[in-house]
Amino acid sequence: MRVLVTGGSGRLGRSVVSVLADRGHTVTSVDTAPADQPPGVETITADLLDDTARQEAFTRARPQAVVHLAGIAVPFARPDVETLQVNTGLAWAVLSTAVAHGAHSAVAASSPTVYGYNTPSWTPRYLPLDEAHPVAPWHAYGLSKAIIEDTVRALARTSDSCTLSCVRPGYVVAPEEWRGAPTQQGHTMARRLADPALAATSLFNYVDARDAAELFALVVENPDKVDNGQVFNAMAPDPLATGPVHTLLPRHHPTTAAAAPALADGRAVFSSHAAHTALGWTPTRTWREQLHPRSDTEPHPDQRASASQRP
Protein backbone atom coordinates (compact mmCIF):
# COMPACT_ATOMS: atom_id res chain seq x y z
CA MET A 1 0.00 0.00 0.00
CA ARG A 2 1.21 3.51 -0.79
CA VAL A 3 1.19 5.63 2.36
CA LEU A 4 1.99 9.33 2.65
CA VAL A 5 3.17 10.46 6.09
CA THR A 6 3.20 14.17 6.85
CA GLY A 7 5.60 15.27 9.55
CA GLY A 8 7.70 12.17 8.93
CA SER A 9 10.85 13.81 10.31
CA GLY A 10 9.41 14.38 13.78
CA ARG A 11 9.69 12.50 17.09
CA LEU A 12 6.68 10.33 16.28
CA GLY A 13 6.95 10.57 12.51
CA ARG A 14 10.28 8.77 12.29
CA SER A 15 8.82 5.74 14.05
CA VAL A 16 5.64 5.82 11.96
CA VAL A 17 7.67 5.86 8.76
CA SER A 18 9.90 3.00 9.98
CA VAL A 19 7.01 0.83 11.16
CA LEU A 20 5.07 1.30 7.92
CA ALA A 21 8.16 0.51 5.85
CA ASP A 22 8.89 -2.58 7.96
CA ARG A 23 5.34 -3.77 7.33
CA GLY A 24 5.96 -3.69 3.58
CA HIS A 25 4.26 -0.45 2.61
CA THR A 26 5.58 2.05 0.07
CA VAL A 27 6.12 5.14 2.20
CA THR A 28 6.56 8.79 1.26
CA SER A 29 7.55 11.17 4.03
CA VAL A 30 6.70 14.86 3.64
CA ASP A 31 8.11 17.45 6.02
CA THR A 32 9.49 20.97 6.03
CA ALA A 33 12.68 19.56 7.55
CA PRO A 34 14.55 16.69 5.86
CA ALA A 35 15.67 13.71 7.93
CA ASP A 36 17.37 10.38 7.37
CA GLN A 37 14.77 7.73 6.61
CA PRO A 38 14.94 3.95 6.11
CA PRO A 39 16.04 2.64 2.70
CA GLY A 40 13.26 2.78 0.15
CA VAL A 41 11.37 5.62 1.80
CA GLU A 42 10.89 8.59 -0.50
CA THR A 43 11.27 12.01 1.13
CA ILE A 44 9.73 15.27 0.00
CA THR A 45 10.61 18.60 1.57
CA ALA A 46 7.56 20.82 1.29
CA ASP A 47 5.27 23.20 3.14
CA LEU A 48 1.87 21.52 2.91
CA LEU A 49 0.08 24.80 3.57
CA ASP A 50 1.24 25.82 0.10
CA ASP A 51 -1.47 24.63 -2.30
CA THR A 52 0.89 23.96 -5.19
CA ALA A 53 3.45 22.11 -3.06
CA ARG A 54 0.73 20.01 -1.44
CA GLN A 55 -0.84 19.02 -4.75
CA GLU A 56 2.56 18.13 -6.17
CA ALA A 57 3.36 15.95 -3.15
CA PHE A 58 0.07 14.06 -3.43
CA THR A 59 0.41 13.66 -7.18
CA ARG A 60 3.93 12.28 -6.72
CA ALA A 61 3.05 9.91 -3.86
CA ARG A 62 -0.38 8.77 -5.16
CA PRO A 63 -1.30 7.72 -1.61
CA GLN A 64 -3.85 5.06 -0.86
CA ALA A 65 -3.60 6.08 2.80
CA VAL A 66 -2.45 9.22 4.62
CA VAL A 67 -1.04 9.59 8.14
CA HIS A 68 -1.15 13.26 9.10
CA LEU A 69 1.31 14.18 11.86
CA ALA A 70 2.63 17.53 10.65
CA GLY A 71 2.10 20.62 12.77
CA ILE A 72 3.30 22.48 15.83
CA ALA A 73 3.97 19.58 18.17
CA VAL A 74 3.85 20.94 21.73
CA PRO A 75 1.83 23.54 23.66
CA PHE A 76 3.24 27.06 23.88
CA ALA A 77 6.03 26.35 21.36
CA ARG A 78 4.73 29.18 19.14
CA PRO A 79 2.35 32.12 19.60
CA ASP A 80 -1.22 30.94 20.17
CA VAL A 81 -2.63 32.37 16.94
CA GLU A 82 0.11 30.70 14.92
CA THR A 83 -0.50 27.36 16.65
CA LEU A 84 -4.20 27.53 15.83
CA GLN A 85 -3.69 28.64 12.26
CA VAL A 86 -0.96 26.14 11.41
CA ASN A 87 -2.42 23.05 13.06
CA THR A 88 -6.01 23.52 11.96
CA GLY A 89 -5.09 24.79 8.50
CA LEU A 90 -2.78 21.85 7.87
CA ALA A 91 -5.39 19.34 9.00
CA TRP A 92 -8.08 20.64 6.68
CA ALA A 93 -5.67 21.01 3.76
CA VAL A 94 -4.07 17.57 4.09
CA LEU A 95 -7.17 15.56 4.95
CA SER A 96 -9.42 17.14 2.34
CA THR A 97 -6.69 16.61 -0.26
CA ALA A 98 -6.42 12.97 0.79
CA VAL A 99 -10.15 12.55 0.12
CA ALA A 100 -9.92 14.38 -3.20
CA HIS A 101 -6.99 12.19 -4.35
CA GLY A 102 -8.87 8.98 -3.63
CA ALA A 103 -7.16 7.73 -0.48
CA HIS A 104 -9.19 4.98 1.19
CA SER A 105 -8.09 6.00 4.70
CA ALA A 106 -6.65 9.05 6.43
CA VAL A 107 -5.73 9.41 10.09
CA ALA A 108 -4.62 12.54 11.94
CA ALA A 109 -2.71 12.93 15.19
CA SER A 110 -4.68 14.56 17.98
CA SER A 111 -3.64 14.81 21.63
CA PRO A 112 -4.90 13.97 25.14
CA THR A 113 -4.61 17.70 25.91
CA VAL A 114 -8.12 18.00 24.45
CA TYR A 115 -9.41 16.78 27.84
CA GLY A 116 -8.35 20.08 29.38
CA TYR A 117 -6.39 18.95 32.44
CA ASN A 118 -3.86 21.23 34.19
CA THR A 119 -6.34 23.89 35.20
CA PRO A 120 -7.32 24.33 38.88
CA SER A 121 -10.98 23.64 38.18
CA TRP A 122 -10.62 20.63 35.88
CA THR A 123 -12.50 17.69 37.38
CA PRO A 124 -12.80 14.40 35.52
CA ARG A 125 -16.26 12.89 35.47
CA TYR A 126 -14.63 9.48 35.84
CA LEU A 127 -11.31 7.69 35.49
CA PRO A 128 -9.70 6.29 33.48
CA LEU A 129 -10.35 8.81 30.73
CA ASP A 130 -11.73 7.19 27.59
CA GLU A 131 -12.87 8.60 24.26
CA ALA A 132 -16.42 9.13 25.54
CA HIS A 133 -15.27 11.55 28.25
CA PRO A 134 -16.07 15.19 27.37
CA VAL A 135 -13.24 17.37 26.11
CA ALA A 136 -12.58 20.88 27.40
CA PRO A 137 -9.33 22.31 25.98
CA TRP A 138 -8.05 25.49 27.59
CA HIS A 139 -4.97 26.45 25.55
CA ALA A 140 -4.43 27.02 21.84
CA TYR A 141 -2.64 23.74 21.24
CA GLY A 142 -5.37 21.64 22.87
CA LEU A 143 -8.02 23.65 21.05
CA SER A 144 -6.25 23.09 17.74
CA LYS A 145 -6.34 19.33 18.34
CA ALA A 146 -10.03 19.42 19.27
CA ILE A 147 -10.68 21.29 16.01
CA ILE A 148 -8.68 18.65 14.13
CA GLU A 149 -10.99 16.00 15.58
CA ASP A 150 -13.99 18.07 14.44
CA THR A 151 -12.35 18.42 11.01
CA VAL A 152 -12.12 14.63 10.75
CA ARG A 153 -15.77 14.27 11.70
CA ALA A 154 -16.82 17.01 9.26
CA LEU A 155 -15.03 15.39 6.33
CA ALA A 156 -16.30 11.96 7.35
CA ARG A 157 -19.90 13.17 6.97
CA THR A 158 -19.47 13.59 3.22
CA SER A 159 -16.91 10.89 2.45
CA ASP A 160 -18.11 7.41 1.56
CA SER A 161 -14.86 6.20 0.00
CA CYS A 162 -12.33 7.42 2.59
CA THR A 163 -12.41 6.42 6.26
CA LEU A 164 -11.12 9.28 8.42
CA SER A 165 -10.05 9.00 12.03
CA CYS A 166 -7.88 10.48 14.79
CA VAL A 167 -5.35 9.00 17.19
CA ARG A 168 -4.48 10.74 20.47
CA PRO A 169 -0.92 9.62 21.25
CA GLY A 170 0.12 10.24 24.84
CA TYR A 171 3.49 11.64 25.91
CA VAL A 172 5.52 10.20 23.03
CA VAL A 173 8.89 8.67 23.94
CA ALA A 174 11.27 8.11 21.02
CA PRO A 175 13.60 5.09 21.25
CA GLU A 176 16.71 7.20 21.90
CA GLU A 177 14.98 8.97 24.79
CA TRP A 178 14.90 5.76 26.83
CA ARG A 179 18.70 5.84 26.58
CA GLY A 180 19.06 9.40 27.86
CA ALA A 181 18.38 11.75 24.94
CA PRO A 182 16.34 14.79 26.04
CA THR A 183 12.57 14.55 25.71
CA GLN A 184 10.30 17.19 24.20
CA GLN A 185 10.40 19.08 27.51
CA GLY A 186 14.20 19.01 27.75
CA HIS A 187 14.68 16.59 30.63
CA THR A 188 15.43 12.87 30.50
CA MET A 189 12.93 10.07 31.00
CA ALA A 190 14.85 8.96 34.09
CA ARG A 191 14.35 12.40 35.61
CA ARG A 192 10.69 12.44 34.60
CA LEU A 193 10.20 9.15 36.39
CA ALA A 194 12.15 10.24 39.47
CA ASP A 195 10.25 13.52 39.86
CA PRO A 196 6.48 12.87 39.93
CA ALA A 197 5.76 16.57 39.43
CA LEU A 198 7.14 16.33 35.90
CA ALA A 199 5.07 13.32 34.88
CA ALA A 200 2.00 14.72 36.64
CA THR A 201 1.71 17.51 34.05
CA SER A 202 0.54 14.88 31.54
CA LEU A 203 -1.35 12.79 34.14
CA PHE A 204 1.48 10.23 34.20
CA ASN A 205 0.74 9.02 30.67
CA TYR A 206 3.30 7.96 28.08
CA VAL A 207 3.59 5.85 24.95
CA ASP A 208 6.60 4.47 23.13
CA ALA A 209 6.76 6.01 19.65
CA ARG A 210 6.97 2.54 18.08
CA ASP A 211 3.82 1.36 19.84
CA ALA A 212 1.96 4.49 18.74
CA ALA A 213 3.26 3.98 15.21
CA GLU A 214 1.84 0.48 15.15
CA LEU A 215 -1.61 1.87 15.95
CA PHE A 216 -1.40 4.36 13.07
CA ALA A 217 -0.43 1.45 10.82
CA LEU A 218 -3.35 -0.68 12.01
CA VAL A 219 -5.77 2.20 11.38
CA VAL A 220 -4.76 2.69 7.75
CA GLU A 221 -4.48 -1.04 7.10
CA ASN A 222 -7.96 -1.80 8.43
CA PRO A 223 -10.37 0.99 7.44
CA ASP A 224 -13.24 -1.52 7.55
CA LYS A 225 -12.68 -1.87 11.32
CA VAL A 226 -12.79 1.87 11.99
CA ASP A 227 -15.96 3.93 12.24
CA ASN A 228 -15.73 6.97 10.00
CA GLY A 229 -14.75 9.88 12.25
CA GLN A 230 -13.63 7.65 15.14
CA VAL A 231 -11.06 8.79 17.73
CA PHE A 232 -8.63 6.49 19.55
CA ASN A 233 -6.57 7.09 22.67
CA ALA A 234 -3.04 5.70 22.40
CA MET A 235 -1.21 5.37 25.73
CA ALA A 236 0.72 2.69 27.57
CA PRO A 237 -1.49 0.65 29.91
CA ASP A 238 0.55 1.56 33.00
CA PRO A 239 1.32 5.00 34.46
CA LEU A 240 4.76 6.59 34.33
CA ALA A 241 5.18 6.39 38.09
CA THR A 242 7.05 4.27 40.60
CA GLY A 243 4.37 4.81 43.23
CA PRO A 244 0.61 4.15 43.16
CA VAL A 245 -0.98 6.55 40.69
CA HIS A 246 -4.29 6.65 42.57
CA THR A 247 -2.49 8.42 45.44
CA LEU A 248 -0.02 10.42 43.33
CA LEU A 249 -2.69 11.89 41.07
CA PRO A 250 -4.75 13.71 43.74
CA ARG A 251 -1.54 15.04 45.27
CA HIS A 252 -0.78 16.96 42.07
CA HIS A 253 -4.36 17.39 40.79
CA PRO A 254 -6.60 17.68 43.88
CA THR A 255 -9.81 17.77 41.84
CA THR A 256 -9.22 14.15 40.80
CA ALA A 257 -9.51 12.85 44.38
CA ALA A 258 -13.06 11.53 44.02
CA ALA A 259 -12.35 9.59 40.83
CA ALA A 260 -8.78 8.44 41.54
CA PRO A 261 -9.64 5.31 43.60
CA ALA A 262 -10.79 3.68 40.35
CA LEU A 263 -7.09 3.43 39.46
CA ALA A 264 -6.09 1.48 42.57
CA ASP A 265 -5.65 -1.63 40.43
CA GLY A 266 -2.64 -0.04 38.71
CA ARG A 267 -4.31 1.12 35.52
CA ALA A 268 -3.18 4.28 33.77
CA VAL A 269 -5.17 7.50 33.94
CA PHE A 270 -6.15 7.08 30.29
CA SER A 271 -7.84 4.09 28.68
CA SER A 272 -6.87 2.87 25.21
CA HIS A 273 -9.34 0.00 25.29
CA ALA A 274 -11.18 1.23 22.16
CA ALA A 275 -8.08 0.70 19.99
CA HIS A 276 -7.65 -2.79 21.39
CA THR A 277 -11.30 -3.65 20.80
CA ALA A 278 -11.45 -2.34 17.24
CA LEU A 279 -7.96 -3.16 15.99
CA GLY A 280 -6.30 -5.47 18.49
CA TRP A 281 -3.71 -2.82 19.40
CA THR A 282 -1.78 -3.71 22.54
CA PRO A 283 1.23 -1.52 23.42
CA THR A 284 4.07 -3.72 24.62
CA ARG A 285 6.92 -1.34 25.49
CA THR A 286 6.78 -0.22 29.11
CA TRP A 287 9.14 2.08 30.98
CA ARG A 288 10.21 -0.79 33.24
CA GLU A 289 11.69 -2.61 30.27
CA GLN A 290 12.74 0.28 28.04
CA LEU A 291 14.43 2.73 30.42
CA HIS A 292 18.20 2.32 30.22
CA PRO A 293 19.66 1.91 33.74
CA ARG A 294 22.30 4.58 33.10
CA SER A 295 20.10 6.91 31.07
CA ASP A 296 20.43 9.81 33.53
CA THR A 297 24.13 9.47 34.26
CA GLU A 298 25.69 8.55 30.93
CA PRO A 299 25.28 11.15 28.15
CA HIS A 300 23.49 9.90 25.07
CA PRO A 301 25.61 10.08 21.88
CA ASP A 302 23.32 12.80 20.53
CA GLN A 303 23.91 14.84 23.68
CA ARG A 304 27.71 14.36 23.47
CA ALA A 305 27.69 15.42 19.85
CA SER A 306 25.66 18.55 20.52
CA ALA A 307 27.85 19.42 23.49
CA SER A 308 31.02 19.12 21.41
CA GLN A 309 29.60 21.58 18.88
CA ARG A 310 28.88 24.31 21.40
CA PRO A 311 31.20 27.32 21.28
Side-chain angles (χ1 to χ4, degrees):
M1 180 170 59
R2 298 184 302 275
V3 186
L4 185 148
V5 179
T6 74
S9 298
R11 167 178 280 101
L12 175 58
R14 295 191 302 273
S15 287
V16 170
V17 168
S18 293
V19 166
L20 287 168
D22 287 346
R23 292 165 81 99
H25 300 295
T26 300
V27 183
T28 300
S29 171
V30 185
D31 208 310
T32 54
D36 292 335
Q37 297 289 6
V41 172
E42 183 173 9
T43 61
I44 299 174
T45 302
D47 179 357
L48 292 170
L49 285 172
D50 180 276
D51 290 343
T52 300
R54 186 176 65 258
Q55 292 296 337
E56 289 177 352
F58 271 80
T59 299
R60 185 168 156 185
R62 298 182 298 115
Q64 296 164 294
V66 173
V67 178
H68 175 55
L69 310 174
I72 296 171
V74 293
F76 312 114
R78 304 277 185 87
D80 288 347
V81 171
E82 182 179 356
T83 295
L84 278 170
Q85 290 175 334
V86 170
N87 286 357
T88 59
L90 273 172
W92 181 269
V94 169
L95 297 174
S96 62
T97 303
V99 173
H101 277 253
H104 64 64
S105 60
V107 55
S110 182
S111 164
T113 59
V114 297
Y115 288 107
Y117 49 86
N118 284 333
T119 63
S121 61
W122 180 77
T123 304
R125 294 190 182 180
Y126 56 84
L127 293 175
L129 297 167
D130 60 17
E131 295 84 354
H133 192 284
V135 300
W138 63 269
H139 51 57
Y141 176 81
L143 177 59
S144 76
K145 293 299 186 176
I147 294 173
I148 289 172
E149 293 183 6
D150 277 338
T151 298
V152 162
R153 286 187 282 266
L155 290 169
R157 293 184 188 108
T158 58
S159 174
D160 295 326
S161 58
C162 182
T163 300
L164 297 109
S165 58
C166 273
V167 170
R168 296 171 180 163
Y171 190 87
V172 174
V173 186
E176 65 273 13
E177 293 169 3
W178 293 120
R179 302 190 299 273
T183 67
Q184 58 188 278
Q185 291 185 324
H187 52 254
T188 64
M189 285 304 296
R191 184 182 167 208
R192 190 174 184 82
L193 189 63
D195 183 356
L198 295 175
T201 60
S202 56
L203 304 189
F204 302 96
N205 90 75
Y206 74 100
V207 66
D208 187 287
R210 295 160 293 184
D211 281 335
E214 287 163 6
L215 177 55
F216 280 98
L218 287 168
V219 168
V220 297
E221 290 169 349
N222 300 279
D224 57 317
K225 297 181 180 179
V226 177
D227 293 334
N228 214 354
Q230 190 167 4
V231 176
F232 296 106
N233 286 346
M235 294 83 167
D238 62 332
L240 189 72
T242 56
V245 76
H246 70 287
T247 60
L248 282 171
L249 189 62
R251 193 179 308 164
H252 297 276
H253 298 274
T255 55
T256 65
L263 307 175
D265 57 2
R267 285 181 294 172
V269 181
F270 298 86
S271 169
S272 301
H273 184 67
H276 177 75
T277 300
L279 297 159
W281 181 68
T282 303
T284 60
R285 299 169 179 91
T286 70
W287 64 264
R288 291 173 178 82
E289 298 169 348
Q290 297 297 319
L291 188 64
H292 193 283
R294 299 182 64 188
S295 61
D296 211 31
T297 59
E298 183 179 88
H300 184 270
D302 293 346
Q303 293 173 302
R304 289 197 294 267
S306 62
S308 67
Q309 294 165 6
R310 293 183 189 131

